[in-house]
């Protein structure tokens, strides 16, 4: 599998074009973007192996993403099949004042969230299944933690900003000083009000 070492300029892009949002509302396209943002430029054949599809199917969906500037072709090192790379190093979905368009954004956001949860769980299960074959230093460094915080909305926003600032220097596509023994690591952070929080707390009651 090809892998372009880090060092790209950071480009965290906000997607607001409703056509681009519709283009993203497809599990294979999300998987392709996730792969390219994690491992760098890859050919359609390499993408197919990674996401469990065919090269022709991946080529079709990569071209669809390219129409909206989400991926692009780059030159091949060996002059053979040209690989694809993501044009941004991170994506967020934009807000809009148009209620009709916002409904579409909300729908895509829910799709993204559900897909991300499923993918994170699947990767974690695969990691656990492969645990015995992982070098000891990686097993000991891995993190699987859960916390229940008592926190206010503004504090949660501030915590998220602080965590983002700590994590961002290690992003695979943009890091230029990675040690020789580094590898791509999955880090997922989810923080949301507990769905089982008693309704009385909305009115100032303590749970």
């Amino acid at each position: 599998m090809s892998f372009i070492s880090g060092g790209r300029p950071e480009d965290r892009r906000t997607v607001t074009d409703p056509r681009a949002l519709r283009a993203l509302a497809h599990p294979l396209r999300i998987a392709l973007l996730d792969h390219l943002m994690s491992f760098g430029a890859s050919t359609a054949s390499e993408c197919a192996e990674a996401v469990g599809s065919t090269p022709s199917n991946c080529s079709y969906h990569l071209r669809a993403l390219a129409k909206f500037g989400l991926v692009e072709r780059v030159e091949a090192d060996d002059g053979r099949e040209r690989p694809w790379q993501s044009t941004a190093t991170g994506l967020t979905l934009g807000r809009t004042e148009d209620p009709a368009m916002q409904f579409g954004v909300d729908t895509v956001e829910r799709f993204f969230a559900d897909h991300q949860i499923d993918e994170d769980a699947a990767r974690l299960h695969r990691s656990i299944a492969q645990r015995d074959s992982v070098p000891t230093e990686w097993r000991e460094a891995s993190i699987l933690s859960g916390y229940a915080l008592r926190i206010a909305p503004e504090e949660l926003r501030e915590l998220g900003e602080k965590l983002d600032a700590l994590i961002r220097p290690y992003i695979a596509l943009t890091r230029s000083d990675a040690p020789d023994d580094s590898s791509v690591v999955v880090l997922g952070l989810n923080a949301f009000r507990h769905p089982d929080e008693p309704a009385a707390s909305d009115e100032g009651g303590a749970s």
Side-chain angles (χ1 to χ4, degrees):
M1 178 179 295
S2 63
F3 175 79
I4 291 180
S5 59
R8 286 177 54 181
E10 185 174 36
D11 181 6
R12 302 168 71 182
R13 190 171 305 170
T14 300
V15 180
T16 57
D17 185 338
R19 297 170 302 168
L21 291 171
R22 286 195 295 270
L24 285 170
H26 190 290
L28 181 57
R29 293 174 188 174
I30 296 177
L32 289 168
L33 270 178
D34 181 69
H35 175 72
L36 295 177
M37 288 184 177
S38 296
F39 295 99
S42 301
T43 65
S45 298
E46 291 166 337
C47 286
E49 182 179 356
V51 303
S53 186
T54 64
S56 60
N57 197 30
C58 287
S59 292
Y60 171 81
H61 287 290
L62 286 165
R63 289 194 300 270
L65 291 170
K67 289 180 181 178
F68 301 102
L70 298 170
V71 302
E72 63 185 0
R73 292 273 202 177
V74 293
E75 293 301 322
D77 292 335
D78 56 7
R80 301 176 68 182
E81 183 182 357
R82 293 177 64 194
W84 295 86
Q85 72 173 11
S86 61
T87 56
T89 58
L91 292 178
T92 58
L93 304 184
R95 300 281 90 191
T96 176
E97 299 299 323
D98 183 344
M101 181 178 171
Q102 188 56 51
F103 176 78
V105 173
D106 291 340
T107 300
V108 175
E109 280 188 331
R110 286 194 294 271
F111 177 84
F112 261 72
D114 287 338
H115 178 82
Q116 188 64 50
I117 291 168
D118 291 342
E119 283 299 301
D120 286 347
R123 278 191 289 257
L124 180 56
H125 285 306
R126 291 200 301 273
S127 176
I128 292 172
Q130 298 168 7
R131 181 176 174 82
D132 291 342
S133 63
V134 172
T136 302
E137 60 269 26
W138 280 109
R139 289 202 304 271
E140 293 178 348
S142 298
I143 303 167
L144 183 58
S145 300
Y147 308 90
L149 310 179
R150 174 65 66 181
I151 196 167
E154 185 57 37
E155 291 177 314
L156 182 56
R157 278 191 291 269
E158 181 181 356
L159 178 60
E161 290 170 358
K162 289 179 178 178
L163 289 171
D164 183 74
L166 287 171
I167 294 165
R168 196 134 300 278
Y170 301 99
I171 297 298
L173 286 187
T174 58
R175 189 177 186 189
S176 59
D177 61 347
D180 292 339
D181 63 346
S182 65
S183 186
V184 174
V185 167
V186 176
L187 174 62
L189 289 173
N190 300 304
F192 48 88
R193 183 178 170 181
H194 201 299
D196 301 330
E197 176 82 0
S201 65
D202 285 333
E203 301 175 359
S207 59

